[in-house]
Amino acid sequence: MTEVRCRKKEILDGDRDEDVCRDEPEAQTTHINGSINTEDEGSASNDGADDRQQKEEAAERNNRPEPSPKREKAFPACYLSHLARVFFGCLAAVACGVLYAVYLSTYHDRKFWFSSRQELEREITFQEGSGIYYYYFKHMLETPSFERGFYELTLDNKTVSGQTINVVERLSLYPELITSFIYRVTSSQDFVEPIYFYVGAVFGLQAVCVAALFVCSWVMSGTWAAGMLAVAWYVINRPDTTKVDHAIPLRDNWALPYFSCQVTALTGFLSNDISSATEMFCYLAMSASSVTFLLVWEHSHYVLFVQGLCLFLLDSFDLVPPRKMADIHKVYLSSLFLAYLFQFQNRTLLSSPLLSLLIGSVLARRFQQKMKMGPVVARVLKLLLHFHLVFTTGITFCYVVKKLMPVTENDFILKFLEVRFGLNTTTDFITNFLLCQESFQTPSQDFFLRLTQASVLPFYFLVLAVCLLSSLQTIYRRLNGQPMETHLKLEDGRIGAQPEVIYHVFHTLLFGGLSLLFDGLKYLWTPYVCMFTAFGVCSPELWMTVFKWLKLKSIHPVVLSLILSTAVPTIIGFSLWREYCPRVLADLSDLQEFYDPDTLELITWIRSQAPAATVFAGSPQLLGTVKLCSGSAVTSLPLSTDFNLLKRTEETYQVYGMRSAEDVYKILTSQKTNYMIIEETLCNELCLNKGCRVKDLLDISNGHVVYDKGEIYSFSRHGRFCQEIKLNYSPYTNYFTRVFWNRSYHVYKVNSVISFQY
């Protein structure tokens, strides 16, 4: 016997049909209902609510009429219609991604004149020291075999002077390894240059990111309009959604597309209205994207920790079935384990707060299941106990790990956070240097102004307010012992009763709070603001929830919610098209000019005059370009997560402090430096924030400051090294010899034999 079940919408359904019908065996329906009851038993009370619900569902099944042959014949047409909507929806998502990738490629070529430049000039366009990553991609292509290149990178003694390091682990070079492998096996060298292949791979991942946001908004709202609107807002707010415009090889640009795929898969997995096959697909996609995300970015486990906090709140309020939470815990643990192995037993992952949270959450859930459910007060007390067990276990685990395996980097991060939040002060150069970086500053008012002008921020607050209040209602019902409803109708007006919606509310609140503290985290928040807002304005459930609260009776609320969910995004889309489409096209038509003749002259001199086995000292950003274009060894790398490299950077920066020639000479010779590069922009830096100049930070760290009536003055018996050495008098000429200079750079050779001239 078969029965006909009707759903309001199917996952990935791109239309507004009232019902989607499909035939299911009665045994399968009974199994699904049984699984739902089993899930509720792990989190609901023992007062008999589950038994009553099961009896009511059984009675409802027995009282249902036999399916008519007419409706059974209509099933193939309904199924084909659903497949057509899914196919064209996926086609639209792919089209949006491809168009965005083409737009990025065209804009990049217009901005840097990429196609008309020589190879050296193209490499210099990789800014912020990001060119160091492309160097290893080139290195993998120059080696006789992939295996030989991989071995050389794991035992690299030609990058950082005096050290043999595993750069695959240190710099998270798996994107370069995989890309170079694909370039080799596909024989792409016959029809595309390596730099174009590399840049194209990054732009292709940005297409994946846009497509994932499209699908996520589409899945939550049930309409393609949400996906289109999310992509439009993402492209318009591109300066605040991605850093791919100016620093292509950065780890963020490789990692965040995988995080978008992971969030999309998690959204589908949390949904109650999916089939078992779709749930398995989401589980596998979530697992694969989580592992890849951990491998390609050193900060990824902190991002997953924040995501884990969102899921922890869902689990604490019993908003997700225990079976699904157990599967999510398996994904996290297996991903951490695989990342730990592929990252050559990276100790940072063992002391990760994500691992502490997972262990505490699992133990708390085990303990919680043994407690009997009671009235509201008892449930609240048990919830508080859940929180206490998780964080107590997490803190204990971190303490044990640090005692058995001290991790200097994590200690430094804790110290950094103390200073950032005003709990402590320090004169340490590294801490203050990082705090002065733009990514660790609070966002400027221009950031919020841009989001407001694009109309995304006002609608975001509207959608967030409705979803948050509805989610709080659902949490209150769960605390009162009411079961979690799995099949909701549009007439119910309860958008906050969907687990995926509640997750995204927590997601946007936590990442939004962090973005208010650190400007660099806006790239994790703004894309999901675009997606979440587009879902809300295109979702009839959101408008129906508002009308349910207002108790609207003059007009049928269902009809009005359907009208608004179509009219509002149409009006927004038309206004965005009218205002921003000319601007986007203007970006593609304007020919910008990026030309750095001083850097080009410096690199040309290094490649022609400096010996092959030469070590250069300078700022990390410049050394990244020097390493890329010349292959010479350097004293430090542009990496803010490696404490040892940061200490070497501090030592190299002493050339901009008030130090003697002998002190600087000892520092540079200890790093086996042959040539020192002094930058005019750092030596004579003009900055509105005076305390954040490199030379000011060095003076504070070296104790060369005097405080007088609230003003800070630098004082030392030695002059500023970078200025004094240009005067070419002893003792500076005894230790250093100038060999190259232009308007921006002065290169000095570190004398191997000291000549005392007076």
Side-chain angles (χ1 to χ4, degrees):
M1 179 67 65
T2 61
E3 68 171 327
V4 178
R5 300 187 60 202
C6 298
R7 292 184 178 182
K8 176 185 167 295
K9 64 176 182 178
E10 289 282 348
I11 190 73
L12 297 179
D13 189 359
D15 203 352
R16 294 294 191 191
D17 290 347
E18 191 71 23
D19 294 311
V20 176
C21 303
R22 66 190 182 103
D23 293 340
E24 293 183 351
E26 185 174 1
Q28 182 179 354
T29 305
T30 305
H31 173 71
I32 294 177
N33 291 328
S35 65
I36 294 175
N37 291 332
T38 304
E39 293 164 356
D40 288 337
E41 286 176 0
S43 56
S45 61
N46 294 329
D47 55 0
D50 294 334
D51 295 336
R52 289 196 301 270
Q53 183 181 2
Q54 188 174 5
K55 292 179 180 179
E56 291 175 358
E57 291 179 352
E60 182 180 357
R61 290 196 303 270
N62 294 331
N63 293 330
R64 285 176 181 170
E66 292 291 334
S68 62
K70 182 178 180 180
R71 296 192 65 181
E72 288 182 352
K73 293 180 180 179
F75 168 71
C78 186
Y79 182 72
L80 292 177
S81 175
H82 170 64
L83 286 182
R85 287 192 294 269
V86 171
F87 172 77
F88 286 108
C90 293
L91 189 62
V94 173
C96 287
V98 172
L99 289 176
Y100 180 64
V102 173
Y103 167 75
L104 285 178
S105 179
T106 307
Y107 176 78
H108 179 260
D109 187 71
R110 292 282 184 171
K111 180 178 180 181
F112 297 107
W113 292 43
F114 206 70
S115 59
S116 60
R117 293 187 182 275
Q118 299 296 323
E119 182 72 13
L120 179 60
E121 294 174 311
R122 293 173 183 170
E123 294 177 352
I124 293 178
T125 61
F126 293 146
Q127 303 174 44
E128 297 186 8
S130 60
I132 187 69
Y133 299 104
Y134 179 68
Y135 164 77
Y136 293 108
F137 173 76
K138 290 200 310 179
H139 175 78
M140 290 297 299
L141 298 181
E142 293 170 356
T143 53
S145 64
F146 178 84
E147 294 78 7
R148 178 63 183 177
F150 180 78
Y151 175 77
E152 291 179 356
L153 294 186
T154 57
L155 296 173
D156 181 36
N157 58 0
K158 298 179 181 179
T159 297
V160 180
S161 61
Q163 292 187 4
T164 299
I165 60 175
N166 184 346
V167 292
V168 177
E169 175 192 358
R170 192 76 64 92
L171 298 178
S172 301
L173 292 182
Y174 276 103
E176 283 68 31
L177 292 177
I178 297 174
T179 308
S180 63
F181 179 78
I182 296 175
Y183 189 82
R184 281 175 176 270
V185 299
T186 57
S187 299
S188 299
Q189 61 271 16
D190 297 334
F191 53 87
V192 63
E193 298 179 39
I195 195 167
Y196 278 105
F197 187 86
Y198 185 85
V199 171
V202 179
F203 289 160
L205 282 178
Q206 305 311 305
V208 172
C209 180
V210 166
L213 293 175
F214 182 104
V215 173
C216 188
S217 186
W218 170 26
V219 168
M220 294 179 65
S221 63
T223 175
W224 304 344
M228 295 288 189
L229 187 57
V231 173
W233 269 329
Y234 182 90
V235 175
I236 291 171
N237 296 281
R238 193 180 70 257
D240 302 311
T241 56
T242 178
K243 292 192 288 187
V244 75
D245 283 354
H246 57 280
I248 291 177
L250 287 180
R251 301 299 86 181
D252 318 27
N253 299 327
W254 288 96
L256 293 185
Y258 294 107
F259 183 61
S260 298
C261 294
Q262 194 258 11
V263 172
T264 302
L266 177 62
T267 301
F269 185 77
L270 291 175
S271 177
N272 291 321
D273 196 18
I274 59 173
S275 62
S276 58
T278 306
E279 181 179 314
M280 178 58 65
F281 173 78
C282 292
Y283 178 82
L284 295 177
M286 183 170 53
S287 302
S289 55
S290 297
V291 174
T292 310
F293 182 55
L294 285 169
L295 287 177
V296 300
W297 195 24
E298 62 271 13
H299 299 302
S300 56
H301 59 97
Y302 295 112
V303 178
L304 293 183
F305 168 70
V306 178
Q307 185 186 66
L309 288 178
C310 303
L311 295 170
F312 164 72
L313 293 174
L314 289 177
D315 188 28
S316 300
F317 295 115
D318 292 331
L319 300 173
V320 178
R323 176 185 60 82
K324 287 192 175 183
M325 285 306 306
D327 291 340
I328 293 174
H329 288 158
K330 292 177 183 177
V331 169
Y332 279 143
L333 290 173
S334 59
S335 299
L336 280 173
F337 176 73
L338 291 176
Y340 174 74
L341 293 180
F342 283 104
Q343 286 286 3
F344 307 92
Q345 293 80 47
N346 190 350
R347 299 184 306 171
T348 305
L349 295 178
L350 291 182
S351 59
S352 168
L354 174 62
L355 184 59
S356 305
L357 177 65
L358 291 175
I359 295 176
S361 182
V362 170
L363 293 179
R365 171 58 66 180
R366 294 281 185 181
F367 184 78
Q368 184 181 9
Q369 289 177 348
K370 298 181 181 180
M371 300 180 62
K372 294 184 177 180
M373 312 295 265
V376 178
V377 177
R379 294 180 63 85
V380 173
L381 290 176
K382 193 186 77 168
L383 180 63
L384 295 176
L385 179 61
H386 191 185
F387 278 92
H388 175 73
L389 283 173
V390 168
F391 289 105
T392 301
T393 306
I395 293 174
T396 303
F397 176 78
C398 288
Y399 177 80
V400 172
V401 168
K402 288 187 177 182
K403 285 296 182 182
L404 297 178
M405 184 194 58
V407 182
T408 307
E409 289 81 357
N410 285 351
D411 295 336
F412 169 73
I413 291 174
L414 293 177
K415 179 181 178 181
F416 170 82
L417 293 177
E418 288 179 358
V419 178
R420 176 63 180 83
F421 295 125
L423 302 177
N424 197 359
T425 58
T426 182
T427 60
D428 180 62
F429 172 82
I430 298 176
T431 303
N432 293 326
F433 178 73
L434 292 178
L435 287 173
C436 287
Q437 301 300 307
E438 184 180 357
S439 58
F440 292 109
Q441 299 287 323
T442 56
S444 63
Q445 295 181 355
D446 294 338
F447 166 61
F448 300 101
L449 182 61
R450 288 191 295 268
L451 293 181
T452 303
Q453 291 176 342
S455 72
V456 62
L457 201 59
F459 284 103
Y460 167 73
F461 285 129
L462 171 64
V463 174
L464 179 61
V466 175
C467 293
L468 178 60
L469 292 176
S470 183
S471 300
L472 292 177
Q473 288 181 338
T474 302
I475 293 173
Y476 179 75
R477 292 189 184 96
R478 292 297 290 150
L479 291 177
N480 282 332
Q482 298 183 17
M484 191 73 179
E485 297 187 20
T486 56
H487 297 286
L488 296 171
K489 299 180 180 179
L490 178 60
E491 294 82 359
D492 296 334
R494 293 171 56 186
I495 192 172
Q498 305 174 33
E500 65 273 21
V501 174
I502 304 175
Y503 162 75
H504 279 283
V505 169
F506 292 149
H507 180 105
T508 189
L509 286 176
L510 288 182
F511 280 102
L514 292 174
S515 299
L516 295 178
L517 298 174
F518 304 104
D519 183 70
L521 293 180
K522 68 182 180 182
Y523 301 105
L524 287 167
W525 180 61
T526 312
Y528 299 97
V529 169
C530 300
M531 185 278 300
F532 186 72
T533 307
F535 140 72
V537 297
C538 296
S539 175
E541 286 84 357
L542 181 132
W543 301 107
M544 188 64 199
T545 302
V546 175
F547 297 148
K548 193 79 171 181
W549 292 341
L550 299 177
K551 298 181 180 180
L552 184 65
K553 296 181 180 179
S554 58
I555 304 177
H556 199 289
V558 175
V559 176
L560 187 58
S561 63
L562 291 173
I563 293 176
L564 287 179
S565 63
T566 303
V568 172
T570 301
I571 296 173
I572 295 175
F574 178 76
S575 63
L576 294 178
W577 176 272
R578 182 177 181 181
E579 182 176 357
Y580 287 96
C581 184
R583 300 184 187 181
V584 173
L585 295 178
D587 291 339
L588 300 180
S589 60
D590 292 342
L591 292 176
Q592 305 183 38
E593 178 65 25
F594 177 85
Y595 188 56
D596 191 356
D598 294 338
T599 303
L600 180 61
E601 185 181 5
L602 171 66
I603 298 300
T604 303
W605 180 87
I606 292 175
R607 298 177 68 170
S608 61
Q609 301 296 328
T614 301
V615 178
F616 283 89
S619 67
Q621 289 71 25
L622 179 61
L623 293 181
T625 304
V626 170
K627 180 64 178 177
L628 166 62
C629 300
S630 67
S632 301
V634 294
T635 57
S636 185
L637 295 174
L639 191 65
S640 61
T641 56
D642 193 300
F643 185 76
N644 294 326
L645 288 178
L646 288 173
K647 292 297 293 183
R648 291 174 67 95
T649 299
E650 178 184 3
E651 295 175 353
T652 304
Y653 270 141
Q654 294 299 326
V655 299
Y656 302 104
M658 293 181 174
R659 301 294 293 270
S660 66
E662 183 179 2
D663 291 342
V664 174
Y665 181 81
K666 290 180 179 179
I667 292 174
L668 295 178
T669 53
S670 67
Q671 297 179 351
K672 304 182 183 302
T673 304
N674 301 118
Y675 291 92
M676 168 186 61
I677 305 175
I678 293 180
E679 302 174 50
E680 284 291 334
T681 55
L682 295 179
C683 185
N684 302 309
E685 185 176 5
L686 297 177
C687 181
L688 296 178
N689 190 0
K690 185 178 179 181
C692 275
R693 296 182 300 182
V694 170
K695 53 186 179 182
D696 296 333
L697 298 176
L698 288 169
D699 293 341
I700 295 174
S701 177
N702 296 333
H704 296 160
V705 293
V706 177
Y707 298 90
D708 183 21
K709 297 180 181 180
E711 296 291 334
I712 302 177
Y713 301 95
S714 299
F715 175 79
S716 175
R717 65 191 184 94
H718 301 289
R720 196 165 300 281
F721 178 86
C722 64
Q723 296 173 352
E724 297 293 328
I725 194 175
K726 298 174 187 176
L727 301 178
N728 290 326
Y729 64 85
S730 181
Y732 297 94
T733 55
N734 301 338
Y735 298 99
F736 308 97
T737 302
R738 187 168 66 177
V739 293
F740 172 85
W741 69 92
N742 58 24
R743 293 176 303 175
S744 301
Y745 304 104
H746 294 258
V747 180
Y748 292 87
K749 181 180 180 181
V750 181
N751 296 332
S752 56
V753 178
I754 303 176
S755 59
F756 292 95
Q757 302 175 2
Y758 298 94

